[in-house]
Amino acid sequence: MLATTVIIHVKPECVEDFIKITLYNNENSRKEPGNVRFDVLQSNDDPTYFTLYEVYKTAEDAKAHKETEHYKKWRDTVEPYMACKRQGIGHTPLAFD
């Protein structure tokens, strides 16, 4: 399994639009055959900070995700919403439910 956390800081005036397109991406990503989990988290301390937690069965499944239309739509839509470049961090799940 391959897990990725994506850390995103959104411009304050873009938070609502970011949430809308990100939930669209979440809904469609969860339908991908290689997807195990796709969580969207918003910081309690600063509502402009988000974390996406994505888990795919294989690295190939994670790569295929980035070729989907819903991901490309999300990527292109959120680019101007970002206060700074998003950061993706790959992980190997050691204990996972």
mmCIF file of all heavy atoms in Angstrom, residues 40-59:
data_model
loop_
_atom_site.group_PDB
_atom_site.id
_atom_site.type_symbol
_atom_site.label_atom_id
_atom_site.label_comp_id
_atom_site.label_asym_id
_atom_site.label_seq_id
_atom_site.Cartn_x
_atom_site.Cartn_y
_atom_site.Cartn_z
ATOM 1 N N VAL A 40 -10.417 14.071 3.465
ATOM 2 C CA VAL A 40 -10.214 15.512 3.318
ATOM 3 C C VAL A 40 -10.356 16.117 4.712
ATOM 4 O O VAL A 40 -11.409 16.003 5.337
ATOM 5 C CB VAL A 40 -11.255 16.131 2.351
ATOM 6 C CG1 VAL A 40 -11.042 17.637 2.240
ATOM 7 C CG2 VAL A 40 -11.187 15.455 0.981
ATOM 8 N N LEU A 41 -9.296 16.752 5.194
ATOM 9 C CA LEU A 41 -9.268 17.303 6.543
ATOM 10 C C LEU A 41 -9.022 18.806 6.483
ATOM 11 O O LEU A 41 -8.174 19.265 5.715
ATOM 12 C CB LEU A 41 -8.151 16.644 7.362
ATOM 13 C CG LEU A 41 -8.145 15.113 7.377
ATOM 14 C CD1 LEU A 41 -6.869 14.597 8.014
ATOM 15 C CD2 LEU A 41 -9.365 14.583 8.090
ATOM 16 N N GLN A 42 -9.769 19.548 7.306
ATOM 17 C CA GLN A 42 -9.592 20.994 7.419
ATOM 18 C C GLN A 42 -9.136 21.299 8.842
ATOM 19 O O GLN A 42 -9.710 20.784 9.811
ATOM 20 C CB GLN A 42 -10.906 21.718 7.112
ATOM 21 C CG GLN A 42 -10.802 23.221 7.104
ATOM 22 C CD GLN A 42 -12.133 23.887 6.738
ATOM 23 O OE1 GLN A 42 -13.197 23.334 6.959
ATOM 24 N NE2 GLN A 42 -12.048 25.087 6.182
ATOM 25 N N SER A 43 -8.113 22.123 8.969
ATOM 26 C CA SER A 43 -7.567 22.457 10.287
ATOM 27 C C SER A 43 -8.603 23.146 11.169
ATOM 28 O O SER A 43 -9.329 24.035 10.707
ATOM 29 C CB SER A 43 -6.349 23.372 10.116
ATOM 30 O OG SER A 43 -5.928 23.882 11.368
ATOM 31 N N ASN A 44 -8.650 22.773 12.422
ATOM 32 C CA ASN A 44 -9.500 23.453 13.402
ATOM 33 C C ASN A 44 -8.922 24.808 13.796
ATOM 34 O O ASN A 44 -9.655 25.720 14.152
ATOM 35 C CB ASN A 44 -9.661 22.600 14.659
ATOM 36 C CG ASN A 44 -10.505 21.380 14.416
ATOM 37 O OD1 ASN A 44 -11.340 21.345 13.518
ATOM 38 N ND2 ASN A 44 -10.279 20.342 15.203
ATOM 39 N N ASP A 45 -7.598 24.922 13.749
ATOM 40 C CA ASP A 45 -6.927 26.154 14.168
ATOM 41 C C ASP A 45 -6.882 27.210 13.075
ATOM 42 O O ASP A 45 -6.877 28.404 13.362
ATOM 43 C CB ASP A 45 -5.500 25.850 14.625
ATOM 44 C CG ASP A 45 -5.477 24.977 15.863
ATOM 45 O OD1 ASP A 45 -6.404 25.064 16.693
ATOM 46 O OD2 ASP A 45 -4.517 24.190 15.993
ATOM 47 N N ASP A 46 -6.824 26.764 11.825
ATOM 48 C CA ASP A 46 -6.744 27.693 10.699
ATOM 49 C C ASP A 46 -7.508 27.076 9.531
ATOM 50 O O ASP A 46 -7.011 26.160 8.881
ATOM 51 C CB ASP A 46 -5.289 27.959 10.312
ATOM 52 C CG ASP A 46 -5.154 28.973 9.189
ATOM 53 O OD1 ASP A 46 -6.148 29.266 8.491
ATOM 54 O OD2 ASP A 46 -4.032 29.472 8.996
ATOM 55 N N PRO A 47 -8.709 27.549 9.255
ATOM 56 C CA PRO A 47 -9.550 26.933 8.220
ATOM 57 C C PRO A 47 -9.015 27.059 6.797
ATOM 58 O O PRO A 47 -9.610 26.523 5.868
ATOM 59 C CB PRO A 47 -10.898 27.649 8.365
ATOM 60 C CG PRO A 47 -10.595 28.911 9.073
ATOM 61 C CD PRO A 47 -9.379 28.664 9.919
ATOM 62 N N THR A 48 -7.878 27.718 6.609
ATOM 63 C CA THR A 48 -7.271 27.794 5.279
ATOM 64 C C THR A 48 -6.258 26.668 5.046
ATOM 65 O O THR A 48 -5.704 26.558 3.963
ATOM 66 C CB THR A 48 -6.580 29.152 5.041
ATOM 67 O OG1 THR A 48 -5.455 29.282 5.913
ATOM 68 C CG2 THR A 48 -7.545 30.310 5.233
ATOM 69 N N TYR A 49 -6.017 25.849 6.068
ATOM 70 C CA TYR A 49 -5.084 24.714 5.949
ATOM 71 C C TYR A 49 -5.852 23.405 5.834
ATOM 72 O O TYR A 49 -6.746 23.122 6.643
ATOM 73 C CB TYR A 49 -4.139 24.647 7.156
ATOM 74 C CG TYR A 49 -2.965 25.569 7.012
ATOM 75 C CD1 TYR A 49 -3.025 26.872 7.480
ATOM 76 C CD2 TYR A 49 -1.793 25.144 6.397
ATOM 77 C CE1 TYR A 49 -1.958 27.735 7.341
ATOM 78 C CE2 TYR A 49 -0.715 25.998 6.246
ATOM 79 C CZ TYR A 49 -0.800 27.291 6.726
ATOM 80 O OH TYR A 49 0.250 28.148 6.588
ATOM 81 N N PHE A 50 -5.471 22.627 4.833
ATOM 82 C CA PHE A 50 -6.118 21.348 4.552
ATOM 83 C C PHE A 50 -5.065 20.254 4.434
ATOM 84 O O PHE A 50 -3.930 20.507 4.030
ATOM 85 C CB PHE A 50 -6.889 21.416 3.231
ATOM 86 C CG PHE A 50 -8.063 22.351 3.282
ATOM 87 C CD1 PHE A 50 -7.896 23.708 3.068
ATOM 88 C CD2 PHE A 50 -9.333 21.868 3.562
ATOM 89 C CE1 PHE A 50 -8.973 24.582 3.121
ATOM 90 C CE2 PHE A 50 -10.420 22.732 3.618
ATOM 91 C CZ PHE A 50 -10.232 24.081 3.395
ATOM 92 N N THR A 51 -5.487 19.045 4.768
ATOM 93 C CA THR A 51 -4.672 17.861 4.541
ATOM 94 C C THR A 51 -5.528 16.847 3.809
ATOM 95 O O THR A 51 -6.664 16.571 4.220
ATOM 96 C CB THR A 51 -4.183 17.243 5.873
ATOM 97 O OG1 THR A 51 -3.433 18.216 6.591
ATOM 98 C CG2 THR A 51 -3.326 16.018 5.624
ATOM 99 N N LEU A 52 -5.001 16.332 2.717
ATOM 100 C CA LEU A 52 -5.627 15.208 2.037
ATOM 101 C C LEU A 52 -4.831 13.970 2.418
ATOM 102 O O LEU A 52 -3.594 13.995 2.392
ATOM 103 C CB LEU A 52 -5.601 15.391 0.513
ATOM 104 C CG LEU A 52 -6.170 16.695 -0.034
ATOM 105 C CD1 LEU A 52 -6.136 16.674 -1.561
ATOM 106 C CD2 LEU A 52 -7.572 16.938 0.467
ATOM 107 N N TYR A 53 -5.525 12.910 2.802
ATOM 108 C CA TYR A 53 -4.875 11.647 3.146
ATOM 109 C C TYR A 53 -5.394 10.596 2.178
ATOM 110 O O TYR A 53 -6.570 10.235 2.226
ATOM 111 C CB TYR A 53 -5.174 11.261 4.600
ATOM 112 C CG TYR A 53 -4.518 9.970 5.010
ATOM 113 C CD1 TYR A 53 -3.138 9.870 5.101
ATOM 114 C CD2 TYR A 53 -5.279 8.842 5.305
ATOM 115 C CE1 TYR A 53 -2.530 8.691 5.484
ATOM 116 C CE2 TYR A 53 -4.677 7.662 5.686
ATOM 117 C CZ TYR A 53 -3.307 7.581 5.773
ATOM 118 O OH TYR A 53 -2.701 6.407 6.140
ATOM 119 N N GLU A 54 -4.524 10.160 1.284
ATOM 120 C CA GLU A 54 -4.906 9.252 0.212
ATOM 121 C C GLU A 54 -4.167 7.934 0.373
ATOM 122 O O GLU A 54 -2.960 7.936 0.615
ATOM 123 C CB GLU A 54 -4.535 9.855 -1.144
ATOM 124 C CG GLU A 54 -5.046 11.262 -1.352
ATOM 125 C CD GLU A 54 -4.488 11.909 -2.617
ATOM 126 O OE1 GLU A 54 -4.064 11.184 -3.541
ATOM 127 O OE2 GLU A 54 -4.481 13.140 -2.670
ATOM 128 N N VAL A 55 -4.869 6.826 0.217
ATOM 129 C CA VAL A 55 -4.233 5.514 0.271
ATOM 130 C C VAL A 55 -4.656 4.736 -0.970
ATOM 131 O O VAL A 55 -5.852 4.622 -1.264
ATOM 132 C CB VAL A 55 -4.612 4.732 1.549
ATOM 133 C CG1 VAL A 55 -3.925 3.368 1.572
ATOM 134 C CG2 VAL A 55 -4.265 5.533 2.798
ATOM 135 N N TYR A 56 -3.661 4.201 -1.662
ATOM 136 C CA TYR A 56 -3.890 3.374 -2.836
ATOM 137 C C TYR A 56 -3.246 2.018 -2.623
ATOM 138 O O TYR A 56 -2.254 1.890 -1.891
ATOM 139 C CB TYR A 56 -3.340 4.063 -4.094
ATOM 140 C CG TYR A 56 -4.225 5.199 -4.528
ATOM 141 C CD1 TYR A 56 -4.052 6.484 -4.032
ATOM 142 C CD2 TYR A 56 -5.286 4.975 -5.393
ATOM 143 C CE1 TYR A 56 -4.900 7.515 -4.403
ATOM 144 C CE2 TYR A 56 -6.146 6.000 -5.767
ATOM 145 C CZ TYR A 56 -5.940 7.263 -5.270
ATOM 146 O OH TYR A 56 -6.789 8.275 -5.629
ATOM 147 N N LYS A 57 -3.808 0.991 -3.250
ATOM 148 C CA LYS A 57 -3.298 -0.376 -3.106
ATOM 149 C C LYS A 57 -1.857 -0.496 -3.578
ATOM 150 O O LYS A 57 -1.052 -1.184 -2.962
ATOM 151 C CB LYS A 57 -4.187 -1.354 -3.864
ATOM 152 C CG LYS A 57 -5.574 -1.504 -3.270
ATOM 153 C CD LYS A 57 -6.440 -2.425 -4.108
ATOM 154 C CE LYS A 57 -7.862 -2.470 -3.552
ATOM 155 N NZ LYS A 57 -8.764 -3.248 -4.418
ATOM 156 N N THR A 58 -1.545 0.174 -4.690
ATOM 157 C CA THR A 58 -0.199 0.089 -5.257
ATOM 158 C C THR A 58 0.246 1.471 -5.741
ATOM 159 O O THR A 58 -0.572 2.379 -5.920
ATOM 160 C CB THR A 58 -0.167 -0.866 -6.470
ATOM 161 O OG1 THR A 58 -0.947 -0.293 -7.531
ATOM 162 C CG2 THR A 58 -0.699 -2.259 -6.110
ATOM 163 N N ALA A 59 1.537 1.578 -6.006
ATOM 164 C CA ALA A 59 2.071 2.813 -6.578
ATOM 165 C C ALA A 59 1.470 3.058 -7.964
ATOM 166 O O ALA A 59 1.228 4.207 -8.343
ATOM 167 C CB ALA A 59 3.593 2.745 -6.655
#
